Amino acid sequence: MKWSLDLTIAVVLTVLVWTGFYFAFPSEPFSPLETVFVLAVIYGLVTLAHLAWKRWGPAKARGK
Amino acid sequence: MTRQRPSGDWSDGRSTLARSLVLVLVLLFLVPTPSVGQYGDNMIEIERPPPGEPLVIDVPANAVLVLPFDLHEVVVSVDPPDVLFGLEDGGLIVLKGLFAHLGTVRIATPSSETPKPLSLEDLIAPGAGDPGEPGAGSAVPPEQVPVESEPSVGPDEPLPPLAGLRHTGRDLLFAGEAERAGHPLYSYLLFAGASEGSREERERFKSAIAAFVRQVRSAEALERSGAARESINIFYAPMRPIFEDTKPESMRLHFAQRSEAEQLSLLLELYDHARAEVLMGHLRLSGNGPFIVSVLRPLSRDPVLGSEAFLVQDLSRVPPELVGLWVDEFKRQVVQEATEEPEHLRRLALSLRTQIAVLADAFAITKSAVAEMFEAPDAAGTGNN
């Protein structure tokens, strides 16, 4: 379940990034390879953030 | 029991005087001096650094710089985003971030105590707008005087103001031909790589030439349409003669009459790599490029001195498919630097876009290399069978 949640967040963020860059530079949208690369990077970052939240999130939430 | 107030004129006068003095002192502390009130917290009073030592100052947007010298008394050099003032005693003032805030920063000098907006022209042609005599009594040795403070097109013609820049127009620079006078900015597309260079380098150069032909209007067409020469940043590509013993004007006309695709192939075929290398030498640029360089005077004349301002856009690491975006950015940036606050966010986005393309390419190369490593034993095995 966790990896699918991370992947969903990564896909949504990739769509946002793709659209943002498309509006900024419409003549050169991301190629399929670049899209996959961006998705991979964002997925990695989301996974890291997820792990960090799991490790330190509850303590932060309790104010410790 | 009542307390008697001391009587007498002298005591009264002394007490009033003391109260007045206290009041004046309080007022002096409370009411800011006119200069501070006028410029606010952003006023930066710059003092001369000790001889031979640097003084580094961070310059925020909307700052007012109060200088103890006039600009024509120092050697000004621009190292974006910083600006450096070299003093006669070897002292150096580094104004960090000043170049990035050029449109918002004001400057006060001994000859003009009222702060005036600092423009690029003030930096590159110091003293041009000063009422004093630039150069008279100047501490700057003649060989270090920035070249752009001299007229670039002739002894009687002043430099056209950069603020009037509105367009970028392309033109060809044929062998032995000098640049046209009267433009505020001279830009060049330079590539010194050999035609048998690496595939990616050739592709990059081809993209740069394609962007030059397709994305930049001809300077002649702009002038015909009513644009003043002083408003055009002329963008040259050096080119070898199309025909021998023919005037450049005829070759230019011949080039202009061809279709876009023909212009592209002609320029690719006859691009003057040797002259590009000479021009790159004038700027001490290393590497093959392509580079887009901008100077305030024709570059063919003399090498650029260390104190002269010039801009270089190095396209040698840009993926070929994105070169067109950088040429667009160059056109936009030149006009924005002259007219309004540059869009730093857009520039950042373009840098990020380029990095993504470069990294994605590297990612693909790594992926295919790893795939080959796994496929190779199979292929070898198949070959043996």
Side-chain angles (χ1 to χ4, degrees):
Chain A
M1 279 304 285
K2 284 171 195 164
W3 69 265
S4 60
L5 176 67
D6 290 353
L7 191 61
T8 309
I9 294 171
V11 167
V12 170
L13 289 177
T14 305
V15 169
L16 288 177
V17 169
W18 200 99
T19 315
F21 275 100
Y22 178 74
F23 279 110
F25 310 109
S27 62
E28 291 297 336
F30 281 142
S31 67
L33 177 70
E34 286 165 349
T35 309
V36 170
F37 175 74
V38 170
L39 177 65
V41 170
I42 292 179
Y43 178 70
L45 291 174
V46 169
T47 309
L48 277 178
H50 197 152
L51 287 174
W53 175 253
K54 210 169 138 188
R55 170 70 183 80
W56 291 290
K60 275 270 178 198
R62 284 199 302 271
K64 285 184 182 176
Chain B
M1 192 174 160
T2 55
R3 192 173 171 184
Q4 275 202 331
R5 201 171 160 223
S7 61
D9 290 338
W10 174 239
S11 304
D12 261 357
R14 214 165 42 174
S15 152
T16 314
L17 184 67
R19 266 189 232 143
S20 307
L21 272 174
V22 170
L23 188 67
V24 168
L25 282 174
V26 167
L27 281 175
L28 274 177
F29 275 105
L30 287 182
V31 179
T33 55
S35 62
V36 173
Q38 192 179 352
Y39 308 144
D41 294 335
N42 285 339
M43 188 180 75
I44 301 173
E45 279 193 62
I46 298 173
E47 292 176 0
R48 284 176 180 272
E53 286 190 23
L55 171 68
V56 181
I57 297 169
D58 281 313
V59 180
N62 301 311
V64 178
L65 302 177
V66 182
L67 299 178
F69 44 74
D70 286 320
L71 285 182
H72 62 78
E73 293 174 19
V74 294
V75 177
V76 182
S77 50
V78 178
D79 181 14
D82 308 334
V83 174
L84 291 78
F85 292 160
L87 304 177
E88 56 168 324
D89 56 10
L92 182 71
I93 299 174
V94 182
L95 298 163
K96 291 191 83 65
L98 174 58
F99 196 72
H101 303 307
L102 261 190
T104 64
V105 170
R106 287 177 297 156
I107 191 163
T109 57
S111 66
S112 64
E113 286 183 7
T114 318
K116 57 174 189 176
L118 182 66
S119 65
L120 184 59
E121 288 163 65
D122 294 327
L123 293 177
I124 57 181
D130 283 11
E133 289 177 42
S138 167
V140 182
E143 66 275 10
Q144 288 184 3
V145 172
V147 170
E148 57 274 45
S149 62
E150 300 167 6
S152 71
V153 288
D156 299 320
E157 291 181 62
L159 276 170
L162 267 183
L165 252 183
R166 293 290 179 277
H167 317 282
T168 295
R170 68 173 154 83
D171 202 355
L172 301 169
L173 192 59
F174 287 102
E177 188 190 21
E179 293 90 337
R180 292 194 307 170
H183 290 283
L185 194 65
Y186 291 81
S187 302
Y188 303 81
L189 175 64
L190 302 179
F191 179 69
S195 51
E196 66 273 12
S198 73
R199 188 189 63 81
E200 196 180 344
E201 203 173 60
R202 274 183 283 127
E203 285 298 314
R204 194 175 288 121
F205 174 59
K206 199 175 166 185
S207 302
I209 291 289
F212 178 82
V213 171
R214 291 180 184 143
Q215 292 170 224
V216 186
R217 287 186 201 289
S218 145
E220 200 188 337
L222 286 172
E223 282 190 48
R224 265 205 316 270
S225 306
R229 187 172 286 195
E230 294 76 27
S231 71
I232 300 174
N233 159 36
I234 189 86
F235 189 16
Y236 281 115
M239 190 171 175
R240 284 180 278 129
I242 304 172
F243 310 110
E244 294 300 327
D245 303 326
T246 311
K247 286 183 178 177
E249 287 75 28
S250 311
M251 290 191 280
R252 202 167 270 120
L253 188 67
H254 177 81
F255 185 84
Q257 285 169 344
R258 296 197 168 203
S259 71
E260 209 173 76
E262 285 173 333
Q263 286 182 349
L264 179 58
S265 61
L266 201 59
L267 194 47
L268 276 172
E269 187 188 338
L270 295 174
Y271 183 85
D272 196 344
H273 296 270
R275 189 163 189 187
E277 197 167 328
V278 170
L279 293 176
M280 281 163 62
H282 282 185
L283 288 163
R284 290 184 291 278
L285 288 177
S286 56
N288 286 338
F291 297 104
I292 297 176
V293 300
S294 300
V295 204
L296 291 151
R297 59 160 176 87
L299 187 57
S300 297
R301 242 181 17 187
D302 300 302
V304 167
L305 297 182
S307 55
E308 265 188 276
F310 60 91
L311 290 173
V312 177
Q313 202 168 55
D314 184 357
L315 305 178
S316 59
R317 285 167 191 268
V318 176
E321 64 273 15
L322 297 187
V323 165
L325 288 183
W326 281 96
V327 172
D328 269 344
E329 177 64 17
F330 155 73
K331 281 166 58 187
R332 188 177 290 113
Q333 199 186 2
V334 162
V335 175
Q336 276 183 351
E337 289 285 354
T339 55
E340 57 194 76
E341 184 75 6
E343 290 178 28
H344 296 297
L345 195 64
R346 190 187 161 80
R347 176 98 178 170
L348 183 72
L350 183 53
S351 300
L352 193 62
R353 174 75 187 83
T354 307
Q355 284 308 315
I356 287 171
V358 170
L359 291 172
D361 200 30
F363 171 70
I365 291 169
T366 315
K367 208 181 94 187
S368 60
V370 171
E372 271 175 29
M373 275 168 62
F374 285 103
E375 281 170 13
D378 292 348
T382 316
N384 286 337
N385 291 337

